[in-house]
Amino acid sequence: PNLYPVVFAVALGVVFATRLIVLVAIADYRMSRMVPAAALQSIAAAIAGTFYFGMDFLYFVLALHLLFGCGVLLFIWLVERPLKKNFHISALHFIDAFIAHNTDGDKALDEFFMEIGEDVYVQQASLFFRREGRGDITFTVPNLHPGPMGEIGGANLPKVLHDMLGPDTFVAHGCATHDFNLISESDVSLMADAVKASRRDAVFSEGATASRRYTYGTVDICAQGFGDTLLLVATRSPEMTEDLEYAIGLAVMAECQGRYAHVAFVDAHNCMVDVTEPIVAGSLTAYEYWKAAEEASVECAKVPLSSFEAGSGHRAVPFSREDGFGDLGIMALVIHVEGQVTAYVLFDGNNVEHGVREVLRDHLLTVVDECEIMTTDSHVVNMLSGRNPVGCRITAEEIIPYVEEAVRAAVADLAPAEAAGGTGWVEGVTVFGSNRISQLASTVNAMLTFIAPLGVAILLFAFLLSIVAYLVLL
């Protein structure tokens, strides 16, 4: 019976410590607000225990609350130290903001990314189609990344830019990794301004080439020339297709600009096996992209131009973000030249499940002569995982009717057209910054390795101190 007061008091101290850690992690990172909330149950129990064990028990419980509370403060200080030292942000505040985003869409996480962000200056190539009796079509290729997830930062970049530029706007995926995630959705306006500025200086031409495919190594490029502008859509399917570093896009554009004034280089982003590292400049895969693009530009420049027609189709789908489909659904751009009909199909999603691109493309080749499947790389479909590609939760057979409808709508919309290219600069847009994602991930991984043993050690230390307090006070 003499152990009952001790065990009960220590239990109340553990309850207080546990509640304090949980509350500061998920409710409010400010300790001054959470200490009273965390102590409500244990203090109420201590008052009840005083009725049975006397005032000495209450003093002992208060001493243990102080010990365990100091232990929690030490634990939190040690856990937060790496992030504060490297990025000047609070880990607990970050967790609070993340939970708030998942529960009610709060955008407080933008504040953290703003603290670690940096300004960049990137090129953005666009194709403009002016049609007789029909609306204009814009096909733009941002070299900024739609991330990181949900509604945070520029995760919904394709939809926002599409809405700013008009209903017949295609926002393809350029060369950008998560280092080029927009910090704030408001910066998308800078991209829209760059596209509009490049259109003002655009020189329209009535000529286009037929589309052709060029392969080097694992890279396959569908290329088509429009006057002084070259459209390149690159894929590695059935090999894994992942983000390309911006430097790769710059190298490709620089190589082709000897033959074309403007180069719209698209990473089709259409074959996902697993979440993996991006493709960096200097790698074998980057070299294959460069060589395939070089061959495409050389050969396309030799092909004579012919008059062409352009059409646009858009199909909403009954699938949700959780199913891998963003807000724009499926869009199709169709080009008819020299009797050849080419369809560029754009899914608002983050990559395509391995093998699905081939199923969709084989079906569409019964409708058109050539086609390629692309995704915007929108990250609104990603919340807790980076893997939610088109065709993962919804089968290719279920998707086919909607893809075909989009393409047929674009074919029906064909009209004689002129095309012009434009290359603008998106200046001073704030992104995560070079290597910031990997630095943040490595810091968090290092923290995770010592959090569990550190927590156990501090808890045991507080328990031992409680025994000492018992011997001194009682």
Side-chain angles (χ1 to χ4, degrees):
N2 292 334
L3 288 178
Y4 293 166
V6 180
V7 176
F8 187 41
V10 172
L12 295 182
V14 173
V15 167
F16 169 68
T18 304
R19 283 172 55 82
L20 183 57
I21 291 176
V22 171
L23 288 174
V24 296
I26 69 172
D28 195 323
Y29 68 98
R30 287 164 288 196
M31 296 288 293
S32 59
R33 295 189 176 191
M34 292 298 99
V35 167
L40 280 176
Q41 288 184 341
S42 52
I43 291 298
I47 294 173
T50 303
F51 176 78
Y52 293 100
F53 306 120
M55 287 301 296
D56 289 343
F57 173 79
L58 180 61
Y59 299 144
F60 183 43
V61 170
L62 293 176
L64 291 186
H65 273 64
L66 181 61
L67 288 176
F68 279 95
C70 290
V72 170
L73 286 174
L74 177 62
F75 175 76
I76 290 174
W77 181 80
L78 291 173
V79 167
E80 290 208 309
R81 183 169 172 77
L83 282 178
K84 282 193 173 181
K85 182 178 180 181
N86 294 335
F87 302 100
H88 308 291
I89 62 176
S90 165
L92 289 176
H93 195 181
F94 185 89
I95 294 172
D96 286 349
F98 178 78
I99 293 175
H101 169 72
N102 283 338
T103 54
D104 58 19
D106 188 90
K107 292 193 175 185
L109 274 176
D110 290 355
E111 300 174 10
F112 290 95
F113 299 136
M114 190 65 71
E115 293 179 18
I116 66 175
E118 63 182 37
D119 292 348
V120 295
Y121 297 74
V122 297
Q123 286 185 325
Q124 181 164 334
S126 302
L127 256 173
F128 307 103
F129 297 97
R130 192 168 59 190
R131 302 186 297 164
E132 295 180 8
R134 302 288 175 88
D136 294 347
I137 301 172
T138 300
F139 188 100
T140 187
V141 189
N143 289 306
L144 290 162
H145 195 272
M149 60 187 181
E151 294 286 352
I152 301 173
N156 206 14
L157 182 158
K159 174 66 164 60
V160 177
L161 185 57
H162 167 274
D163 291 347
M164 288 182 177
L165 295 177
D168 286 328
T169 299
F170 293 75
V171 183
H173 181 48
C175 293
T177 66
H178 278 273
D179 287 341
F180 276 27
N181 280 339
L182 290 184
I183 294 296
S184 174
E185 190 178 275
S186 61
D187 278 352
V188 177
S189 61
L190 298 177
M191 303 166 65
D193 292 341
V195 174
K196 293 173 182 177
S198 61
R199 181 184 173 86
R200 285 195 292 269
D201 300 327
V203 178
F204 284 85
S205 167
E206 296 181 352
T209 69
S211 63
R212 296 287 185 274
R213 287 193 173 271
Y214 303 90
T215 302
Y216 191 94
T218 63
V219 174
D220 180 71
I221 289 182
C222 181
Q224 192 162 18
F226 298 90
D228 63 354
T229 304
L230 180 63
L231 173 62
L232 301 173
V233 181
T235 180
R236 295 181 68 233
S237 185
E239 298 292 327
M240 176 76 174
T241 301
E242 196 40 80
D243 294 333
L244 306 181
E245 230 179 23
Y246 176 55
I248 298 174
L250 278 181
V252 167
M253 293 167 73
E255 170 61 34
C256 300
Q257 279 173 345
R259 290 167 285 275
Y260 288 92
H262 309 286
V263 181
F265 180 57
V266 179
D267 170 16
H269 211 63
N270 59 10
C271 183
M272 181 175 231
V273 179
D274 201 356
V275 179
T276 187
E277 296 297 319
I279 297 168
V280 297
S283 64
L284 173 61
T285 305
Y287 176 72
E288 291 175 343
Y289 274 103
W290 184 82
K291 291 295 290 183
E294 178 190 34
E295 180 183 356
S297 66
V298 170
E299 295 302 319
C300 280
K302 299 176 182 178
V303 179
L305 303 177
S306 303
S307 58
F308 71 98
E309 295 178 310
S312 171
H314 185 195
R315 182 65 172 90
V317 293
F319 311 124
S320 66
R321 292 180 176 181
E322 289 74 19
D323 297 324
F325 290 80
D327 304 337
L328 292 176
I330 304 172
M331 302 184 70
L333 170 66
V334 169
I335 304 297
H336 179 210
V337 55
E338 297 178 355
Q340 181 202 54
V341 178
T342 302
Y344 299 96
V345 180
L346 181 64
F347 284 84
D348 191 21
N350 181 2
N351 223 312
V352 178
E353 181 75 3
H354 179 265
V356 172
R357 174 251 184 192
E358 281 68 28
V359 175
L360 299 179
R361 185 170 181 272
D362 289 345
H363 178 81
L364 289 177
L365 288 178
T366 64
V367 180
V368 296
D369 302 305
E370 180 60 274
C371 72
E372 189 54 86
I373 306 296
M374 306 173 288
T375 64
T376 62
D377 198 20
S378 171
H379 274 53
V380 295
V381 300
N382 301 110
M383 288 302 295
L384 298 178
S385 169
R387 193 181 192 286
N388 189 20
V390 172
C392 178
R393 300 177 185 271
I394 306 297
T395 66
E397 288 70 25
E398 293 177 276
I399 299 171
I400 283 176
Y402 303 102
V403 176
E404 183 175 337
E405 285 181 23
V407 171
R408 290 192 181 279
V411 172
D413 187 55
L414 285 171
E418 297 176 319
T423 303
W425 280 93
V426 184
E427 301 181 352
V429 62
T430 306
V431 299
F432 274 25
S434 300
N435 301 315
R436 290 291 189 173
I437 290 295
S438 58
Q439 291 172 4
L440 186 61
S442 62
T443 301
V444 172
N445 286 334
M447 289 167 53
L448 292 176
T449 60
F450 70 77
I451 281 180
L454 178 63
V456 172
I458 290 178
L459 188 62
L460 288 176
F461 182 64
F463 179 77
L464 292 175
L465 286 180
S466 69
I467 300 301
V468 173
Y470 169 72
L471 297 174
V472 172
L473 296 176
L474 301 181

